Amino acid sequence: MSNVLYISSEAYPLIKTGGLGDVAGSLPAALSKESQNVRLLLPAYPEVLKKIKKSKIRRKTSYYNLPVNIIETKLPGRNVTVWLVDCPFAFNRPGGPYADEHGDEWHDNALRFAIFCQVAVDLSLNKFKLHWKPDVVHCNDWQSGLVPALLSLYPQRPATIFTIHNLAYQGVFDQQTFSDLKLPEELWHMNGLEFYGQLSFIKGGIVYADKITTVSPNYAREILEPEQGFSLDGLLKSRGNDFSGILNGIDNKFWNPGTDNYLEKKYSVHSLNKKLLNKTALQKELSLPIGKSIPMIGMISRLVEQKGLDIILQSLSKLLAMPVQYVLLGMGETHYEKLFTAWAKKHPDRLKVIINYDESLAHRIEAASDIYIMPSIFEPCGLNQLYSLRYGTLPIVTHVGGLADTVIDASKKNIDNGTANGFVFKELTAESLLSTIKRAMAVYQKPKIWRQLQINAMSSDFSWKTSAEHYVMLYQQALKEL
Ligand code: ADP
């Protein structure tokens, strides 16, 4: 059994903006089931402080002359201890974890997450004497990237793991920031935190962690190439066998149509007819024409270029000429919000666009839809295609990243051999997306085959067990090599 400090800038249900929140909210509990003693470290945003029940201040300290409390609490609904970095100046402000209400990144993100990392390092070295010392420190994304770098300076240190959830977000700041943060000079070089004359938080993880992972085996291959490597492919390649891909799992406690309290009607693979009642309930809720046989296409997404929104927009006039309903829940870049909203106004019977962040509606859309579209340009793992499979909602996806690892195309061969669970296309164009939707519609007209695909989808196992076992093996290997 190892003590594992799991460091994340978000964790469901306390705070979530995307997939990292889902993972950090569920993997620690899965690791506990594999006999790991896991503690989660998280910033104390206002939303987090509002949601926690019992808590106590374990230490009072300061960084950069700013007061910081270490608060101990539990992850709601889980037996996982959480330590919160409560630095009011850095984290207790309205808006999101990384950006303000208008979507503009906080100007002091480097300082905010440097404080977070400094606390993590001191916890890892047991400087606060909290009677718990990690053997393994598991960092996630750039917000915790300085931790492996700073820990590397101590001969007696825990093993470090760094997981990349999306290489596109790197935490790059100017050189002055490096000086302002008073980071150790010996970390400033090409093979350290410097990235073309700038300070890169993510390099702290990629260069200095003992092991690096990303969230699917296919994305692990893709980011070793210049096309998807965001100028870090060479560095990742240089880490050789220390870098690998471990597929994300899903949390069966929150994403299970048989127990999901957000749904109008719970259902399972044995009662798929009840799924249709979720469709009619959502049609009613969203004032769409009601009909069980109208194919419903769902999508829940951050509205950013990565998610393939441009090819969807280019397809819309043809898509909305088909007898379908398309429901989109999302928030993000203003121009996408405006464009989709304008289309919805013109096609109220075919398209509903909800610009919001709404966890319960996300569940209802997954349950109500027949098809889920996710034509991402790149996708490290993707969770919504996994939730869709779990809910018998067949995903239409591009052949990238974790989507290619999890969705098996309904080709004749795959239908015949019983493996097909969705629709995959390779060319990232509006024409390919439309022809794949048409292909899905044609199968939808054959209820027996459709039902079989739903059964295949719902029977796939994407629980955390296997992946948690992989992480434990990696922890053991890192400890052995320390
Ligand atoms: P990413 O991490 O790139 O955003 P993922 O598919 O890995 O993409 O995870 C996205 C997670 O965030 C999913 O759980 C999805 O349901 C959720 N999500 C995204 N946008 C919204 C929204 N507007 N309302 C509710 N949940 C959302």
PDB file of all heavy atoms in Angstrom, residues 16-20 22 166 255 300-302 306-307 329-331 356-359 362 374 379 382-384 387, ligand 1:
ATOM      1  N   LYS A  16     -15.882  21.628 -11.163  1.00  0.00           N
ATOM      2  CA  LYS A  16     -15.593  20.938 -12.435  1.00  0.00           C
ATOM      3  C   LYS A  16     -15.797  21.897 -13.600  1.00  0.00           C
ATOM      4  O   LYS A  16     -16.784  22.607 -13.652  1.00  0.00           O
ATOM      5  CB  LYS A  16     -16.538  19.740 -12.567  1.00  0.00           C
ATOM      6  CG  LYS A  16     -16.607  19.119 -13.961  1.00  0.00           C
ATOM      7  CD  LYS A  16     -17.514  17.914 -14.004  1.00  0.00           C
ATOM      8  CE  LYS A  16     -17.996  17.635 -15.410  1.00  0.00           C
ATOM      9  NZ  LYS A  16     -18.938  16.542 -15.504  1.00  0.00           N
ATOM     10  N   THR A  17     -14.801  21.918 -14.512  1.00  0.00           N
ATOM     11  CA  THR A  17     -15.024  22.641 -15.773  1.00  0.00           C
ATOM     12  C   THR A  17     -14.967  21.685 -16.959  1.00  0.00           C
ATOM     13  O   THR A  17     -15.395  22.016 -18.043  1.00  0.00           O
ATOM     14  CB  THR A  17     -13.967  23.749 -16.012  1.00  0.00           C
ATOM     15  OG1 THR A  17     -12.709  23.121 -16.302  1.00  0.00           O
ATOM     16  CG2 THR A  17     -13.807  24.665 -14.825  1.00  0.00           C
ATOM     17  N   GLY A  18     -14.397  20.496 -16.761  1.00  0.00           N
ATOM     18  CA  GLY A  18     -14.270  19.555 -17.878  1.00  0.00           C
ATOM     19  C   GLY A  18     -13.826  18.191 -17.371  1.00  0.00           C
ATOM     20  O   GLY A  18     -14.004  17.861 -16.188  1.00  0.00           O
ATOM     21  N   GLY A  19     -13.229  17.418 -18.288  1.00  0.00           N
ATOM     22  CA  GLY A  19     -12.881  16.030 -17.991  1.00  0.00           C
ATOM     23  C   GLY A  19     -11.972  15.837 -16.781  1.00  0.00           C
ATOM     24  O   GLY A  19     -12.128  14.873 -16.034  1.00  0.00           O
ATOM     25  N   LEU A  20     -11.034  16.778 -16.577  1.00  0.00           N
ATOM     26  CA  LEU A  20     -10.131  16.642 -15.421  1.00  0.00           C
ATOM     27  C   LEU A  20     -10.934  16.571 -14.123  1.00  0.00           C
ATOM     28  O   LEU A  20     -10.604  15.791 -13.218  1.00  0.00           O
ATOM     29  CB  LEU A  20      -9.137  17.817 -15.381  1.00  0.00           C
ATOM     30  CG  LEU A  20      -8.264  17.920 -14.131  1.00  0.00           C
ATOM     31  CD1 LEU A  20      -7.383  16.685 -13.946  1.00  0.00           C
ATOM     32  CD2 LEU A  20      -7.384  19.178 -14.176  1.00  0.00           C
ATOM     33  N   ASP A  22     -13.946  15.382 -13.690  1.00  0.00           N
ATOM     34  CA  ASP A  22     -14.531  14.040 -13.570  1.00  0.00           C
ATOM     35  C   ASP A  22     -13.488  13.034 -13.101  1.00  0.00           C
ATOM     36  O   ASP A  22     -13.750  12.194 -12.232  1.00  0.00           O
ATOM     37  CB  ASP A  22     -15.071  13.565 -14.936  1.00  0.00           C
ATOM     38  CG  ASP A  22     -16.383  14.248 -15.298  1.00  0.00           C
ATOM     39  OD1 ASP A  22     -17.153  14.579 -14.389  1.00  0.00           O
ATOM     40  OD2 ASP A  22     -16.641  14.434 -16.502  1.00  0.00           O
ATOM     41  N   ASN A 166      -4.623  17.412 -21.370  1.00  0.00           N
ATOM     42  CA  ASN A 166      -4.771  18.109 -22.652  1.00  0.00           C
ATOM     43  C   ASN A 166      -3.499  18.910 -22.889  1.00  0.00           C
ATOM     44  O   ASN A 166      -3.234  19.888 -22.189  1.00  0.00           O
ATOM     45  CB  ASN A 166      -6.000  19.040 -22.615  1.00  0.00           C
ATOM     46  CG  ASN A 166      -6.356  19.540 -24.001  1.00  0.00           C
ATOM     47  OD1 ASN A 166      -5.495  19.623 -24.879  1.00  0.00           O
ATOM     48  ND2 ASN A 166      -7.620  19.872 -24.205  1.00  0.00           N
ATOM     49  N   TRP A 255     -22.608   8.079 -13.327  1.00  0.00           N
ATOM     50  CA  TRP A 255     -23.023   7.903 -14.722  1.00  0.00           C
ATOM     51  C   TRP A 255     -23.503   6.477 -14.943  1.00  0.00           C
ATOM     52  O   TRP A 255     -22.788   5.641 -15.463  1.00  0.00           O
ATOM     53  CB  TRP A 255     -21.870   8.257 -15.672  1.00  0.00           C
ATOM     54  CG  TRP A 255     -21.565   9.722 -15.679  1.00  0.00           C
ATOM     55  CD1 TRP A 255     -20.594  10.358 -14.962  1.00  0.00           C
ATOM     56  CD2 TRP A 255     -22.233  10.754 -16.418  1.00  0.00           C
ATOM     57  NE1 TRP A 255     -20.619  11.711 -15.212  1.00  0.00           N
ATOM     58  CE2 TRP A 255     -21.607  11.982 -16.105  1.00  0.00           C
ATOM     59  CE3 TRP A 255     -23.293  10.766 -17.339  1.00  0.00           C
ATOM     60  CZ2 TRP A 255     -22.009  13.200 -16.658  1.00  0.00           C
ATOM     61  CZ3 TRP A 255     -23.683  11.981 -17.887  1.00  0.00           C
ATOM     62  CH2 TRP A 255     -23.047  13.177 -17.545  1.00  0.00           C
ATOM     63  N   ILE A 300     -22.850  17.774 -25.565  1.00  0.00           N
ATOM     64  CA  ILE A 300     -22.580  18.559 -24.343  1.00  0.00           C
ATOM     65  C   ILE A 300     -21.105  18.877 -24.397  1.00  0.00           C
ATOM     66  O   ILE A 300     -20.279  17.958 -24.413  1.00  0.00           O
ATOM     67  CB  ILE A 300     -22.875  17.716 -23.082  1.00  0.00           C
ATOM     68  CG1 ILE A 300     -24.319  17.229 -23.092  1.00  0.00           C
ATOM     69  CG2 ILE A 300     -22.562  18.495 -21.814  1.00  0.00           C
ATOM     70  CD1 ILE A 300     -24.489  15.819 -22.611  1.00  0.00           C
ATOM     71  N   SER A 301     -20.765  20.162 -24.441  1.00  0.00           N
ATOM     72  CA  SER A 301     -19.359  20.427 -24.730  1.00  0.00           C
ATOM     73  C   SER A 301     -18.924  21.823 -24.337  1.00  0.00           C
ATOM     74  O   SER A 301     -19.724  22.756 -24.350  1.00  0.00           O
ATOM     75  CB  SER A 301     -19.156  20.253 -26.234  1.00  0.00           C
ATOM     76  OG  SER A 301     -17.824  20.421 -26.572  1.00  0.00           O
ATOM     77  N   ARG A 302     -17.654  21.943 -24.014  1.00  0.00           N
ATOM     78  CA  ARG A 302     -17.065  23.274 -23.990  1.00  0.00           C
ATOM     79  C   ARG A 302     -17.092  23.771 -25.433  1.00  0.00           C
ATOM     80  O   ARG A 302     -16.783  22.999 -26.360  1.00  0.00           O
ATOM     81  CB  ARG A 302     -15.608  23.200 -23.512  1.00  0.00           C
ATOM     82  CG  ARG A 302     -15.470  22.884 -22.051  1.00  0.00           C
ATOM     83  CD  ARG A 302     -14.016  22.927 -21.595  1.00  0.00           C
ATOM     84  NE  ARG A 302     -13.178  21.951 -22.279  1.00  0.00           N
ATOM     85  CZ  ARG A 302     -12.125  22.250 -23.040  1.00  0.00           C
ATOM     86  NH1 ARG A 302     -11.770  23.503 -23.217  1.00  0.00           N
ATOM     87  NH2 ARG A 302     -11.391  21.311 -23.599  1.00  0.00           N
ATOM     88  N   GLN A 306     -11.430  23.024 -30.613  1.00  0.00           N
ATOM     89  CA  GLN A 306     -11.026  21.609 -30.504  1.00  0.00           C
ATOM     90  C   GLN A 306     -12.179  20.638 -30.728  1.00  0.00           C
ATOM     91  O   GLN A 306     -11.998  19.525 -31.229  1.00  0.00           O
ATOM     92  CB  GLN A 306     -10.445  21.380 -29.096  1.00  0.00           C
ATOM     93  CG  GLN A 306     -10.066  19.948 -28.802  1.00  0.00           C
ATOM     94  CD  GLN A 306     -10.003  19.651 -27.295  1.00  0.00           C
ATOM     95  OE1 GLN A 306      -9.814  20.540 -26.485  1.00  0.00           O
ATOM     96  NE2 GLN A 306     -10.167  18.391 -26.944  1.00  0.00           N
ATOM     97  N   LYS A 307     -13.385  21.054 -30.377  1.00  0.00           N
ATOM     98  CA  LYS A 307     -14.521  20.134 -30.376  1.00  0.00           C
ATOM     99  C   LYS A 307     -15.165  19.975 -31.755  1.00  0.00           C
ATOM    100  O   LYS A 307     -16.234  19.364 -31.878  1.00  0.00           O
ATOM    101  CB  LYS A 307     -15.549  20.581 -29.333  1.00  0.00           C
ATOM    102  CG  LYS A 307     -14.985  20.657 -27.912  1.00  0.00           C
ATOM    103  CD  LYS A 307     -14.559  19.285 -27.373  1.00  0.00           C
ATOM    104  CE  LYS A 307     -13.938  19.354 -25.984  1.00  0.00           C
ATOM    105  NZ  LYS A 307     -13.527  18.052 -25.461  1.00  0.00           N
ATOM    106  N   LEU A 329     -25.837  21.508 -25.455  1.00  0.00           N
ATOM    107  CA  LEU A 329     -25.612  22.198 -24.173  1.00  0.00           C
ATOM    108  C   LEU A 329     -24.140  22.552 -24.100  1.00  0.00           C
ATOM    109  O   LEU A 329     -23.282  21.676 -24.225  1.00  0.00           O
ATOM    110  CB  LEU A 329     -25.977  21.269 -23.003  1.00  0.00           C
ATOM    111  CG  LEU A 329     -25.518  21.705 -21.605  1.00  0.00           C
ATOM    112  CD1 LEU A 329     -26.187  23.005 -21.169  1.00  0.00           C
ATOM    113  CD2 LEU A 329     -25.799  20.600 -20.578  1.00  0.00           C
ATOM    114  N   GLY A 330     -23.838  23.836 -23.936  1.00  0.00           N
ATOM    115  CA  GLY A 330     -22.421  24.184 -23.870  1.00  0.00           C
ATOM    116  C   GLY A 330     -22.192  25.630 -23.516  1.00  0.00           C
ATOM    117  O   GLY A 330     -23.106  26.459 -23.513  1.00  0.00           O
ATOM    118  N   MET A 331     -20.951  25.900 -23.204  1.00  0.00           N
ATOM    119  CA  MET A 331     -20.505  27.272 -22.915  1.00  0.00           C
ATOM    120  C   MET A 331     -19.093  27.389 -23.431  1.00  0.00           C
ATOM    121  O   MET A 331     -18.392  26.396 -23.494  1.00  0.00           O
ATOM    122  CB  MET A 331     -20.436  27.479 -21.402  1.00  0.00           C
ATOM    123  CG  MET A 331     -21.692  27.939 -20.760  1.00  0.00           C
ATOM    124  SD  MET A 331     -21.412  28.033 -18.999  1.00  0.00           S
ATOM    125  CE  MET A 331     -20.729  29.666 -18.874  1.00  0.00           C
ATOM    126  N   ASN A 356     -25.145  27.243 -21.171  1.00  0.00           N
ATOM    127  CA  ASN A 356     -25.140  27.159 -19.715  1.00  0.00           C
ATOM    128  C   ASN A 356     -24.205  26.026 -19.315  1.00  0.00           C
ATOM    129  O   ASN A 356     -23.788  25.237 -20.162  1.00  0.00           O
ATOM    130  CB  ASN A 356     -26.561  26.857 -19.213  1.00  0.00           C
ATOM    131  CG  ASN A 356     -26.711  27.120 -17.726  1.00  0.00           C
ATOM    132  OD1 ASN A 356     -25.777  27.582 -17.062  1.00  0.00           O
ATOM    133  ND2 ASN A 356     -27.868  26.806 -17.181  1.00  0.00           N
ATOM    134  N   TYR A 357     -23.902  25.963 -18.020  1.00  0.00           N
ATOM    135  CA  TYR A 357     -23.229  24.776 -17.493  1.00  0.00           C
ATOM    136  C   TYR A 357     -24.217  24.109 -16.560  1.00  0.00           C
ATOM    137  O   TYR A 357     -24.605  24.678 -15.546  1.00  0.00           O
ATOM    138  CB  TYR A 357     -21.938  25.157 -16.740  1.00  0.00           C
ATOM    139  CG  TYR A 357     -21.138  23.940 -16.432  1.00  0.00           C
ATOM    140  CD1 TYR A 357     -20.164  23.481 -17.310  1.00  0.00           C
ATOM    141  CD2 TYR A 357     -21.411  23.179 -15.304  1.00  0.00           C
ATOM    142  CE1 TYR A 357     -19.469  22.326 -17.060  1.00  0.00           C
ATOM    143  CE2 TYR A 357     -20.723  22.015 -15.049  1.00  0.00           C
ATOM    144  CZ  TYR A 357     -19.756  21.597 -15.938  1.00  0.00           C
ATOM    145  OH  TYR A 357     -19.073  20.442 -15.697  1.00  0.00           O
ATOM    146  N   ASP A 358     -24.697  22.919 -16.927  1.00  0.00           N
ATOM    147  CA  ASP A 358     -25.801  22.329 -16.177  1.00  0.00           C
ATOM    148  C   ASP A 358     -25.598  20.813 -16.098  1.00  0.00           C
ATOM    149  O   ASP A 358     -25.865  20.078 -17.052  1.00  0.00           O
ATOM    150  CB  ASP A 358     -27.116  22.676 -16.893  1.00  0.00           C
ATOM    151  CG  ASP A 358     -28.341  22.210 -16.120  1.00  0.00           C
ATOM    152  OD1 ASP A 358     -28.230  21.265 -15.312  1.00  0.00           O
ATOM    153  OD2 ASP A 358     -29.420  22.785 -16.357  1.00  0.00           O
ATOM    154  N   GLU A 359     -25.111  20.368 -14.945  1.00  0.00           N
ATOM    155  CA  GLU A 359     -24.783  18.954 -14.755  1.00  0.00           C
ATOM    156  C   GLU A 359     -26.026  18.064 -14.943  1.00  0.00           C
ATOM    157  O   GLU A 359     -25.973  17.040 -15.623  1.00  0.00           O
ATOM    158  CB  GLU A 359     -24.196  18.769 -13.347  1.00  0.00           C
ATOM    159  CG  GLU A 359     -23.612  17.411 -13.054  1.00  0.00           C
ATOM    160  CD  GLU A 359     -22.278  17.139 -13.741  1.00  0.00           C
ATOM    161  OE1 GLU A 359     -21.516  18.088 -14.016  1.00  0.00           O
ATOM    162  OE2 GLU A 359     -21.995  15.956 -13.999  1.00  0.00           O
ATOM    163  N   ALA A 362     -27.101  17.778 -18.497  1.00  0.00           N
ATOM    164  CA  ALA A 362     -26.145  16.941 -19.235  1.00  0.00           C
ATOM    165  C   ALA A 362     -26.547  15.466 -19.134  1.00  0.00           C
ATOM    166  O   ALA A 362     -26.545  14.731 -20.127  1.00  0.00           O
ATOM    167  CB  ALA A 362     -24.729  17.152 -18.692  1.00  0.00           C
ATOM    168  N   MET A 374     -19.531  14.024 -31.598  1.00  0.00           N
ATOM    169  CA  MET A 374     -18.283  14.493 -30.990  1.00  0.00           C
ATOM    170  C   MET A 374     -17.194  14.497 -32.073  1.00  0.00           C
ATOM    171  O   MET A 374     -16.302  13.641 -32.075  1.00  0.00           O
ATOM    172  CB  MET A 374     -17.921  13.515 -29.863  1.00  0.00           C
ATOM    173  CG  MET A 374     -17.032  14.095 -28.802  1.00  0.00           C
ATOM    174  SD  MET A 374     -17.144  13.077 -27.310  1.00  0.00           S
ATOM    175  CE  MET A 374     -15.772  13.752 -26.395  1.00  0.00           C
ATOM    176  N   GLU A 379      -8.685  14.822 -29.300  1.00  0.00           N
ATOM    177  CA  GLU A 379      -9.425  14.502 -28.068  1.00  0.00           C
ATOM    178  C   GLU A 379      -8.576  13.571 -27.209  1.00  0.00           C
ATOM    179  O   GLU A 379      -8.462  12.380 -27.505  1.00  0.00           O
ATOM    180  CB  GLU A 379     -10.753  13.840 -28.429  1.00  0.00           C
ATOM    181  CG  GLU A 379     -11.754  13.788 -27.298  1.00  0.00           C
ATOM    182  CD  GLU A 379     -12.115  15.178 -26.758  1.00  0.00           C
ATOM    183  OE1 GLU A 379     -12.855  15.915 -27.439  1.00  0.00           O
ATOM    184  OE2 GLU A 379     -11.630  15.496 -25.666  1.00  0.00           O
ATOM    185  N   GLY A 382     -11.650  12.030 -23.879  1.00  0.00           N
ATOM    186  CA  GLY A 382     -13.071  12.259 -24.127  1.00  0.00           C
ATOM    187  C   GLY A 382     -13.859  11.422 -23.136  1.00  0.00           C
ATOM    188  O   GLY A 382     -13.600  10.225 -22.970  1.00  0.00           O
ATOM    189  N   LEU A 383     -14.794  12.077 -22.470  1.00  0.00           N
ATOM    190  CA  LEU A 383     -15.623  11.319 -21.530  1.00  0.00           C
ATOM    191  C   LEU A 383     -17.038  11.193 -22.048  1.00  0.00           C
ATOM    192  O   LEU A 383     -17.715  10.196 -21.796  1.00  0.00           O
ATOM    193  CB  LEU A 383     -15.616  12.005 -20.156  1.00  0.00           C
ATOM    194  CG  LEU A 383     -14.287  11.863 -19.424  1.00  0.00           C
ATOM    195  CD1 LEU A 383     -14.242  12.737 -18.192  1.00  0.00           C
ATOM    196  CD2 LEU A 383     -14.034  10.408 -19.048  1.00  0.00           C
ATOM    197  N   ASN A 384     -17.493  12.195 -22.806  1.00  0.00           N
ATOM    198  CA  ASN A 384     -18.894  12.131 -23.211  1.00  0.00           C
ATOM    199  C   ASN A 384     -19.214  10.972 -24.156  1.00  0.00           C
ATOM    200  O   ASN A 384     -20.325  10.436 -24.114  1.00  0.00           O
ATOM    201  CB  ASN A 384     -19.346  13.455 -23.812  1.00  0.00           C
ATOM    202  CG  ASN A 384     -19.764  14.414 -22.719  1.00  0.00           C
ATOM    203  OD1 ASN A 384     -19.105  15.413 -22.458  1.00  0.00           O
ATOM    204  ND2 ASN A 384     -20.835  14.064 -22.031  1.00  0.00           N
ATOM    205  N   TYR A 387     -19.798   8.220 -21.666  1.00  0.00           N
ATOM    206  CA  TYR A 387     -21.114   8.320 -21.029  1.00  0.00           C
ATOM    207  C   TYR A 387     -22.196   7.906 -22.034  1.00  0.00           C
ATOM    208  O   TYR A 387     -23.155   7.222 -21.679  1.00  0.00           O
ATOM    209  CB  TYR A 387     -21.382   9.756 -20.547  1.00  0.00           C
ATOM    210  CG  TYR A 387     -20.385  10.275 -19.536  1.00  0.00           C
ATOM    211  CD1 TYR A 387     -20.006  11.609 -19.502  1.00  0.00           C
ATOM    212  CD2 TYR A 387     -19.822   9.421 -18.595  1.00  0.00           C
ATOM    213  CE1 TYR A 387     -19.084  12.080 -18.569  1.00  0.00           C
ATOM    214  CE2 TYR A 387     -18.898   9.880 -17.666  1.00  0.00           C
ATOM    215  CZ  TYR A 387     -18.536  11.207 -17.662  1.00  0.00           C
ATOM    216  OH  TYR A 387     -17.624  11.657 -16.746  1.00  0.00           O
TER     217      TYR A 387
HETATM  218  P1  ADP B   1     -13.004  18.317 -21.961  1.00  0.00           P
HETATM  219  O1  ADP B   1     -12.277  17.882 -20.726  1.00  0.00           O
HETATM  220  O2  ADP B   1     -12.127  18.618 -23.130  1.00  0.00           O
HETATM  221  O3  ADP B   1     -13.961  19.425 -21.690  1.00  0.00           O
HETATM  222  P2  ADP B   1     -14.324  15.705 -21.822  1.00  0.00           P
HETATM  223  O4  ADP B   1     -15.246  15.016 -22.751  1.00  0.00           O
HETATM  224  O5  ADP B   1     -13.120  14.940 -21.382  1.00  0.00           O
HETATM  225  O6  ADP B   1     -13.906  17.089 -22.472  1.00  0.00           O
HETATM  226  O7  ADP B   1     -15.116  16.099 -20.498  1.00  0.00           O
HETATM  227  C1  ADP B   1     -16.090  17.077 -20.465  1.00  0.00           C
HETATM  228  C2  ADP B   1     -16.905  16.935 -19.200  1.00  0.00           C
HETATM  229  O8  ADP B   1     -17.526  18.201 -18.907  1.00  0.00           O
HETATM  230  C3  ADP B   1     -18.034  15.958 -19.343  1.00  0.00           C
HETATM  231  O9  ADP B   1     -18.364  15.409 -18.084  1.00  0.00           O
HETATM  232  C4  ADP B   1     -19.184  16.857 -19.839  1.00  0.00           C
HETATM  233  O10 ADP B   1     -20.450  16.307 -19.600  1.00  0.00           O
HETATM  234  C5  ADP B   1     -18.940  18.082 -19.022  1.00  0.00           C
HETATM  235  N1  ADP B   1     -19.477  19.310 -19.617  1.00  0.00           N
HETATM  236  C6  ADP B   1     -18.937  20.049 -20.614  1.00  0.00           C
HETATM  237  N2  ADP B   1     -19.707  21.130 -20.855  1.00  0.00           N
HETATM  238  C7  ADP B   1     -20.753  21.065 -20.019  1.00  0.00           C
HETATM  239  C8  ADP B   1     -21.914  21.887 -19.778  1.00  0.00           C
HETATM  240  N3  ADP B   1     -22.121  22.999 -20.488  1.00  0.00           N
HETATM  241  N4  ADP B   1     -22.795  21.500 -18.828  1.00  0.00           N
HETATM  242  C9  ADP B   1     -22.577  20.367 -18.105  1.00  0.00           C
HETATM  243  N5  ADP B   1     -21.520  19.555 -18.273  1.00  0.00           N
HETATM  244  C10 ADP B   1     -20.612  19.903 -19.209  1.00  0.00           C
END
